[in-house]
Amino acid sequence: MAVPLLFFGLFFAYPVAAIVGRGLKTDDGWQFGRFAEVLARPDIADVLWFTTWQAFASTLLTLVIALPAAYVFARFEFPGKQLLRAVVTVPFVLPTVVVGTAFLALLGRGGLLDELAGVRLDTTVWAILLAHVFFNYAVVVRTVGGLWAQLDPRQEEAARVLGAGRFTAWRRVTLPALAPAVAAAALMVFLFTFSSFGVVLILGGPSYSTLEVEVYRQTAQLLDLPTAAVLTMVQFAAIGAILAVHAWTVRKRETALRLVDPGRTTHRPRGWAQRTLLGGVLLTVVLLIAAPLGVLVERSFDTPGGYGLGYYRALQDAGAGGGTFLVAPLEAIWNSLQYALAATAIALLVGGLAAAALTRRGGRFVRGFDALLMLPLGVSAVTVGFGFLITLDEPPLDLRTSWILVPLAQALVGVPFVVRTMLPVLRAVDGRLREAAAVLGASPLRAWREVDLPLVRRALLIAAGFAFAVSLGEFGATVFIARADRPTLPVAVARLLGRAGELNYGQAMALSTILMLVCAVSLLLLERLRPDKTSGEF
Amino acid sequence: MSTTKKLAGVALAAALGVTTLSACGGGDANDKTAGASDAPKSKTVTLVSHDSFNVTESVLKEFEQQSGYTVKVLKSGDAGAALNQEILTKGSPRGDVFFGVDNTLLSRALDNGIFTPYEAKGLADVKPEYVLDKEHRVTPIDSGDICVNYDKAYFAEKKIAPPQTLDDLIKPEYKNLLVTENAATSSPGLGFLLASVGKYGEDGWKDYWSKLKANGVEVVDGWEQAYNERFSGSAGGKKAKGDRPLVVSYASSPPVEVLYGEPQPAEAPTGVSTGTCFRQIEFAGLLKGAKNEEGGKALVDFLVSKKFQEDMPLQMFVNPVTKDAALPELFTKHGVVVEKPENVAPETIAKNREQWVKAWTALVVK
């Protein structure tokens, strides 16, 4: 408990409070009048309204599209499943600049949809919503699917033997067990889309703006800290309210669940209905996720002289000579991996401890802490980044130009994933198992290792995958934290896209493809680490 | 309960270990500067800049060998964000020299007093029209023009002449052809707005934009989308099937298209409408509270030296500000000289910028 508290106090609460305070406190004291002033502005009201409704719409759409997939990934065994699970997580790491390009290629003028059906979505809010589904699909599939795979299907079967219909059995047995995970996933998607930045900038054009975009504009462009501070507080309040609702719904439902080894719950799809479901899910993945990714890959090979490896070769040369602008791709990959590993380690440590503390203790304080851990998801990277600048500027914590700042900032976003993924599983572990182990003479550590770990290991790996992917693709905070000598892959992509010229554009596409590959391979390796299938009996 | 405590104990120890380690790791990088600042002459000099800063490695090495300093470059975000970070850390800067404040942001930097005056060696070589601060808190380093670019192939095929001036852009033959950037979030977007202010004055620019809007100008958020996706003349735009043959970009964009062409074309695929330009001048300054002031001064001198000035065009695609710096062939062959760019005084920009951008947003975007 102490470690997570210290971590969040030092690297989140303090910097954010400092930058907000800088905005609201002048020589004449606190300027709370600013709130009324800013909130009365009609343009700010528009922003608030758009931010809220698009987040609701995006979350709903994501759940509708991704929940069947969560089921399919949890219960069906089919060839290429692991690969597919890695693929759906890839969008998560891609820089929004790159994804925006891909989406425009599909949905925009002369895009696939335009040519096939004469429909253009690039100027509509649909492009934003679909891109949000694209990005957050994996959140639902992984968070919900992770738990679903461990639910014992025999309980539902028992209910049916006792006379319940298929739907009633599902509603009475599986749904309540699943609810916390679904709520957690919905919450994360909501927070992500509520604080959406790049997607809205690129696909929404200048006519749509979220709170996050506005905070960025006020801070980074206009240096209007008072307005930015007010908007940050508004965002805090909104997220606080959502978290409160969430905590309330979850508390009513959480119970100890009978968890089993996921290997035993899966089977090949049987019958017409199951095959159709699998087919439908695969089709969605292809249309929604594989197609945009495919466009990027295609463009990375589409050199003027026909398809080839020209841009990849150019990347190789880029690092060799020239200036400080370009980075050798290998170096950027290495940087990205190092940062991501460090960030994952920090996130797992902090998040794991926090999740453990949250499981074992109750009370209002702990619940408040639970909410605090989620806040970084809803706070703008520019607020945190600028906060770092004015707080971590004195020894021994003058970290402003230190490499550790990057993984620290990335871990802030990774921790909520770790907590959210582990919490449902941890809470579902029957305390009596631990007691039984203790009675049989196991030391606490042994009891943890023998009882909790086997059950939690899977959640831990899923969490690690998330944290890793988040930091691999993280751009917002990284770009503000000045470390030019060690740019990450997304930073390198953004630099290339910021320049005119065939070769720069092609190299950006090639580098994005490499980023996808690195992500997919890392996730596949993580999946391989899953506990062996024989560890089910306890 | 005891389980938790023990575990927490172990984990806490581990975590503290990590934090201590990381503090050390973080310290290492700083130790060089911090430790060395006690010594008579610090060996590291730090340049803080925006993401577009670039220099040929050998040129930088040469400076390091001659001066005895090691140069560390910190890039943090775009020009606006980078400057604002300097303003926030005023008095306790992350580096010694800041490069990348331009004439649209100059007043903000000067009003906040983040620079120490220093008259660079070699300032006499700088063209006097670029020296905007008489107290030498900042030194001009480069200049570049934000201009409308056109797709040569499109206009050749349609057999119409590409537009040359701001007035041309509102003519019916150029209806629905131009794409520009959001003036609120993008620096070329703002530059183009300022070009219209420079040309039509503080009273006339709104009228001009109403006409531009009626003539079908499209606004997207950033340069990347405008240039790489909507513009039909760029490499990216061709792939993305962009259909706007006019885009707000830079006067140096055509040479860049040549340099990064694959293979390099004999002629640039795009041209510049020279009567639509706003001139951007970028400055560098010695930061107040710099740990290594001597090194910082040497670094500013280096930035206006002939070596760096001649290296700049092909690294950052901007023009030198010194009289004797020769332009590379790529620029003389494929670039244009903008004779009379539009300009607005930094103080006027500082005073009105927010209000102009708001009025522009209301007029053009909403």
Side-chain angles (χ1 to χ4, degrees):
Chain A
M1 189 81 181
V3 174
L5 265 182
L6 193 73
F7 178 79
F8 271 83
L10 208 54
F11 299 117
F12 180 69
Y14 174 44
V16 171
I19 191 87
V20 168
R22 180 79 75 102
L24 288 178
K25 199 173 175 218
T26 65
D27 295 338
D28 311 326
W30 291 91
Q31 305 289 307
F32 291 115
R34 281 283 188 168
F35 275 89
E37 210 175 286
V38 172
L39 294 177
R41 278 165 50 183
D43 55 328
I44 297 292
D46 282 351
V47 166
L48 265 172
W49 169 238
F50 175 72
T51 307
T52 313
W53 82 255
Q54 67 80 21
F56 269 111
S58 300
T59 309
L60 205 67
L61 199 64
T62 309
L63 284 179
V64 167
I65 295 180
L67 274 180
Y71 174 76
V72 164
F73 274 101
R75 286 291 151 90
F76 292 164
E77 200 54 65
F78 53 90
K81 182 168 142 181
Q82 282 194 6
L83 182 69
L84 208 61
R85 207 203 318 258
V87 166
V88 301
T89 317
V90 166
F92 215 75
V93 306
L94 287 181
T96 39
V97 192
V98 175
V99 174
T101 322
F103 259 78
L104 286 173
L106 289 171
L107 305 174
R109 186 191 314 257
L112 208 59
L113 200 62
D114 192 10
E115 271 169 21
L116 292 179
V119 180
R120 279 184 54 201
L121 298 176
D122 59 338
T123 49
T124 68
V125 77
W126 281 102
I128 296 178
L129 297 184
L130 285 176
H132 280 161
V133 177
F134 172 83
F135 273 113
N136 295 307
Y137 192 81
V139 176
V140 178
V141 169
R142 293 194 154 235
T143 325
V144 180
L147 183 67
W148 208 332
Q150 284 180 282
L151 288 183
D152 194 342
R154 280 173 303 188
Q155 287 180 323
E156 201 176 307
E157 282 155 22
R160 294 194 60 200
V161 168
L162 294 171
R166 185 186 283 266
F167 180 70
T168 316
W170 183 78
R171 191 173 60 88
R172 300 287 289 269
V173 178
T174 308
L175 188 63
L178 223 46
V182 175
L187 179 74
M188 280 197 276
V189 176
F190 189 89
L191 286 182
F192 269 117
T193 52
F194 188 81
S195 59
S196 182
F197 180 69
V199 168
V200 175
L201 265 189
I202 293 164
L203 295 173
S207 40
Y208 293 108
S209 177
T210 54
L211 263 177
E212 184 97 351
V213 172
E214 208 53 36
V215 169
Y216 172 80
R217 222 169 68 74
Q218 300 293 343
T219 312
Q221 304 293 328
L222 305 174
L223 201 65
D224 184 348
L225 292 183
T227 305
V230 170
L231 295 179
T232 303
M233 295 307 284
V234 170
Q235 204 160 340
F236 261 142
I239 293 159
I242 298 155
L243 291 173
V245 172
H246 170 78
W248 180 69
T249 52
V250 167
R251 208 164 49 248
K252 292 206 315 201
R253 293 198 189 125
E254 256 164 21
T255 40
L257 300 171
R258 200 179 136 79
L259 295 187
V260 296
D261 182 77
R264 296 193 321 185
T265 66
T266 55
H267 56 81
R268 296 199 156 268
R270 289 183 287 256
W272 171 84
Q274 292 192 349
R275 284 206 194 93
T276 313
L277 182 64
L278 176 63
V281 165
L282 292 181
L283 189 70
T284 329
V285 172
V286 167
L287 286 181
L288 197 79
I289 292 170
L293 297 181
V295 168
L296 292 181
V297 177
E298 191 258 350
R299 283 191 185 169
S300 75
F301 290 109
D302 185 13
T303 58
Y307 288 102
L309 288 169
Y311 295 138
Y312 291 87
R313 256 182 244 120
L315 273 178
Q316 245 174 348
D317 304 335
T324 54
F325 176 83
L326 294 165
V327 228
L330 272 179
E331 204 184 303
I333 293 171
W334 180 230
N335 288 344
S336 279
L337 286 177
Q338 280 179 310
Y339 282 141
L341 276 176
T344 308
I346 299 173
L348 279 183
L349 183 74
V350 175
L353 285 174
L358 287 170
T359 330
R360 309 287 166 85
R361 288 184 213 173
R364 196 167 290 169
F365 173 69
V366 166
R367 282 202 299 278
F369 181 61
D370 186 6
L372 177 76
L373 289 175
M374 298 297 287
L375 278 179
L377 288 187
V379 172
S380 145
V382 64
T383 307
V384 177
F386 275 46
F388 275 178
L389 276 183
I390 61 168
T391 49
L392 305 178
D393 63 339
E394 272 168 48
L397 274 174
D398 188 3
L399 302 179
R400 291 176 306 168
T401 58
S402 154
W403 68 274
I404 193 76
L405 211 52
V406 176
L408 278 175
Q410 292 173 346
L412 272 180
V413 188
V415 167
F417 279 95
V418 176
V419 175
R420 286 295 125 192
T421 316
M422 291 188 62
L423 213 49
V425 178
L426 271 178
R427 284 201 173 135
V429 172
D430 197 331
R432 282 172 303 183
L433 286 173
R434 276 183 221 113
E435 284 158 25
V439 168
L440 293 172
S443 69
L445 194 66
R446 174 125 194 250
W448 183 81
R449 206 182 67 210
E450 303 280 334
V451 176
D452 291 63
L453 190 62
L455 289 166
V456 171
R457 210 148 99 192
R458 187 182 155 75
L460 202 66
L461 285 170
I462 291 173
F466 262 133
F468 192 80
V470 166
S471 55
L472 209 55
E474 206 280 329
F475 178 67
T478 316
V479 80
F480 290 117
I481 297 167
R483 289 294 291 182
D485 43 338
R486 299 185 64 193
T488 59
L489 275 172
V491 172
V493 170
R495 283 191 192 165
L496 284 168
L497 279 176
R499 279 191 164 186
E502 181 99 59
L503 214 51
N504 287 321
Y505 184 81
Q507 288 184 78
M509 294 301 133
L511 210 50
S512 303
T513 306
I514 292 176
L515 178 61
M516 278 186 236
L517 266 181
V518 170
C519 171
V521 168
S522 320
L523 290 172
L524 273 177
L525 287 177
L526 266 172
E527 301 254 330
R528 290 262 167 225
L529 291 175
R530 268 200 307 175
D532 46 340
K533 307 234 150 129
T534 51
S535 69
E537 295 298 327
F538 46 82
Chain B
M1 218 21 146
S2 67
T3 325
T4 326
K5 273 194 187 149
K6 243 187 200 166
L7 270 177
V10 172
L12 178 65
L16 286 179
V18 169
T19 351
T20 328
L21 270 179
S22 52
C24 291
D28 274 349
N30 292 322
D31 279 350
K32 270 189 218 142
T33 25
S37 66
D38 303 331
K41 191 181 174 189
S42 171
K43 284 291 157 211
T44 303
V45 56
T46 308
L47 176 74
V48 188
S49 186
H50 50 61
D51 283 339
S52 316
F53 175 80
N54 198 25
V55 53
T56 303
E57 226 147 64
S58 59
V59 172
L60 198 62
K61 281 261 154 63
E62 202 182 301
F63 166 71
E64 289 183 330
Q65 273 160 12
Q66 282 171 5
S67 67
Y69 294 111
T70 311
V71 180
K72 194 169 143 193
V73 181
L74 301 177
K75 305 186 198 180
S76 49
D78 61 35
L83 172 67
N84 289 348
Q85 293 179 62
E86 276 328 298
I87 293 175
L88 276 181
T89 54
K90 181 183 160 187
S92 157
R94 293 167 296 169
D96 306 302
V97 172
F98 180 75
F99 164 74
V101 54
D102 71 6
N103 46 330
T104 68
L105 291 166
L106 183 61
S107 285
R108 185 190 291 171
L110 295 183
D111 293 346
N112 278 287
I114 58 170
F115 295 121
T116 307
Y118 170 64
E119 201 172 330
K121 282 191 197 101
L123 192 69
D125 299 330
V126 175
K127 294 175 192 162
E129 68 262 34
Y130 292 132
V131 185
L132 295 184
D133 179 42
K134 301 297 172 222
E135 294 172 43
H136 306 301
R137 287 164 292 185
V138 290
T139 308
I141 306 296
D142 68 72
S143 85
D145 297 302
I146 291 165
C147 307
V148 170
N149 283 21
Y150 57 82
D151 175 2
K152 282 181 183 167
Y154 174 91
F155 291 101
E157 192 191 315
K158 297 273 168 185
K159 298 201 170 57
I160 33 176
Q164 283 309 321
T165 63
L166 287 173
D167 281 331
D168 285 348
L169 294 174
I170 51 178
K171 289 180 181 162
E173 59 258 48
Y174 305 114
K175 195 173 173 68
N176 297 334
L177 300 189
L178 175 66
V179 58
T180 186
E181 297 86 1
N182 188 353
T185 47
S186 140
S187 79
L190 178 67
F192 189 53
L193 165 61
L194 292 174
S196 73
V197 174
K199 166 97 180 174
Y200 303 103
E202 290 178 41
D203 304 316
W205 70 266
K206 283 188 210 164
D207 184 44
Y208 175 73
W209 275 93
S210 307
K211 287 179 186 151
L212 210 53
K213 193 182 181 186
N215 213 27
V217 65
E218 184 185 352
V219 182
V220 294
D221 205 75
W223 180 88
E224 284 85 352
Q225 291 111 272
Y227 194 85
N228 285 334
E229 271 151 29
R230 302 295 297 117
F231 180 46
S232 62
S234 70
K238 279 190 195 103
K239 272 182 202 168
K241 302 195 181 83
D243 62 354
R244 294 258 159 177
L246 296 174
V247 68
V248 173
S249 187
Y250 298 90
S252 60
S253 301
V256 182
E257 286 287 343
V258 174
L259 182 63
Y260 289 104
E262 175 86 346
Q264 290 191 359
E267 196 197 331
T270 57
V272 171
S273 310
T274 48
T276 60
C277 303
F278 174 78
R279 179 153 295 170
Q280 239 180 336
I281 306 161
E282 278 193 300
F283 304 86
L286 189 62
L287 287 164
K288 227 176 235 172
K291 289 193 188 81
N292 183 0
E293 223 179 274
E294 285 313 304
K297 285 176 181 170
L299 192 57
V300 174
D301 294 345
F302 166 64
L303 295 178
V304 284
S305 71
K306 191 169 176 185
K307 189 89 194 172
F308 182 81
Q309 289 283 316
E310 289 189 341
D311 181 52
M312 237 169 25
L314 288 182
Q315 294 299 331
M316 292 190 269
F317 304 101
V318 288
N319 293 308
V321 292
T322 53
K323 292 167 203 156
D324 58 341
L327 273 174
E329 198 200 339
L330 185 80
F331 272 55
T332 50
K333 204 169 153 200
H334 303 285
V336 292
V337 180
V338 177
E339 298 287 358
K340 289 178 91 180
E342 301 301 338
N343 226 327
V344 186
E347 307 82 58
T348 318
I349 298 175
K351 206 170 76 209
N352 298 300
R353 159 200 195 101
E354 186 51 347
Q355 167 203 334
W356 287 342
V357 167
K358 264 188 194 147
W360 179 87
T361 308
L363 186 71
V364 185
V365 179
K366 300 283 174 197

